Amino acid sequence: MLKRDQIETFFTRLQAANPEPKGELNYVNPYTLLVAVVLSAQATDVGVNKATAKLFQIVDTPQKMVKLGEAKLKEHIKTIGLFNTKAKNVIKLSEILVRDFKGEVPRDRDILQTLPGVGRKTANVVLNIAFGEPTIAVDTHIFRVSNRTGLAPGKDVLKVEAALEKRVPDKFKQHCHHWLILHGRYVCKARSPECARCIVRDVCQFKEKTG
């Protein structure tokens, strides 16, 4: 497990390399971000962006989504995995936002998690990106990087999230999950980690480094 000074080095380098990291899902406001994240479950950001390019030009509020309807929504997102279920969830959550929240996305993790298709990870992403909350959304990339490097080991995503909350210095928490996702997606890959070009190689605890 990384020591406190190693964690400081770890994030200082990631920050220096990418001071203002951004999520790779396209969106225009908190509502479209919520929709995009719901659609991204078991799908790639690239695939979601292709599907929502035209959708978000005509639909940018839950009211417009409800008016569009499930059948037409399916036509926009049919290239995404599980699109039938996702379409139902997006329409239902849009109806709830209109009915109970005046069409606004609530800035509350517990409330967000009551919406169809929204789990803790999705809620954390929305809170972080849309509202600037220092939440950490643990996906497969973050889970892998946290365990592989010794940053925040844990047997499940909740334990890794709790470990990151405890171990990551406050000054790095705002962008923590972006740095870790991007590092996992492009460097610390699942099958073939590119250790030779990793900027935190010397503090990483992974024993089977490549290159």
Side-chain angles (χ1 to χ4, degrees):
M1 189 179 294
L2 297 187
K3 297 177 181 178
R4 185 174 299 179
D5 62 324
Q6 292 175 314
I7 293 174
E8 182 80 19
T9 298
F10 189 100
F11 283 105
T12 296
R13 290 182 187 170
L14 293 180
Q15 182 182 54
N18 189 359
E20 294 291 332
K22 304 294 182 185
E24 296 187 316
L25 284 172
N26 294 333
Y27 66 98
V28 295
N29 56 26
Y31 171 69
T32 53
L33 172 65
L34 174 62
V35 171
V37 181
V38 168
L39 295 178
S40 72
Q42 299 181 45
T44 66
D45 288 358
V46 172
V48 172
N49 288 340
K50 287 181 179 178
T52 59
K54 291 183 179 179
L55 176 65
F56 290 162
Q57 289 178 12
I58 59 174
V59 174
D60 58 2
T61 67
Q63 291 89 341
K64 291 179 182 178
M65 186 68 78
V66 172
K67 187 175 181 179
L68 180 72
E70 187 177 324
K72 290 184 179 178
L73 174 57
K74 286 182 181 180
E75 285 300 307
H76 282 279
I77 67 170
K78 61 186 178 182
T79 56
I80 301 174
L82 306 174
F83 74 93
N84 285 312
T85 299
K86 290 175 181 179
K88 285 185 173 66
N89 286 336
V90 168
I91 294 298
K92 286 180 182 177
L93 74 82
S94 299
E95 291 172 343
I96 292 170
L97 291 179
V98 172
R99 185 188 70 212
D100 299 339
F101 301 100
K102 298 180 180 178
E104 299 295 324
V105 176
R107 188 173 179 171
D108 183 291
R109 180 161 56 198
D110 291 336
I111 294 175
L112 283 169
Q113 288 185 91
T114 67
L115 298 173
V118 179
R120 187 179 181 89
K121 183 184 75 173
T122 295
N124 280 339
V125 171
V126 172
L127 290 173
N128 180 273
I129 298 177
F131 300 114
E133 300 280 354
T135 50
I136 301 173
V138 179
D139 70 347
T140 55
H141 296 298
I142 291 182
F143 184 79
R144 179 177 66 256
V145 172
S146 296
N147 277 286
R148 181 184 275 171
T149 63
L151 172 62
K155 292 183 179 180
D156 57 52
V157 293
L158 284 177
K159 288 180 180 177
V160 168
E161 181 182 336
L164 287 169
E165 290 282 357
K166 182 179 180 180
R167 308 196 80 217
V168 177
D170 288 345
K171 63 183 177 181
F172 297 124
K173 281 182 180 174
Q174 178 62 46
H175 295 312
C176 171
H177 93 267
H178 280 132
W179 285 321
L180 295 180
I181 286 173
L182 295 172
H183 192 65
R185 186 172 287 167
Y186 298 112
V187 181
C188 195
K189 301 174 184 177
R191 295 183 180 179
S192 53
E194 298 183 15
C195 302
R197 67 184 190 88
C198 175
I199 60 176
V200 293
R201 176 184 175 122
D202 57 320
V203 294
C204 172
Q205 302 296 301
F206 187 45
K207 294 180 180 179
E208 300 172 26
K209 291 187 176 72
T210 61

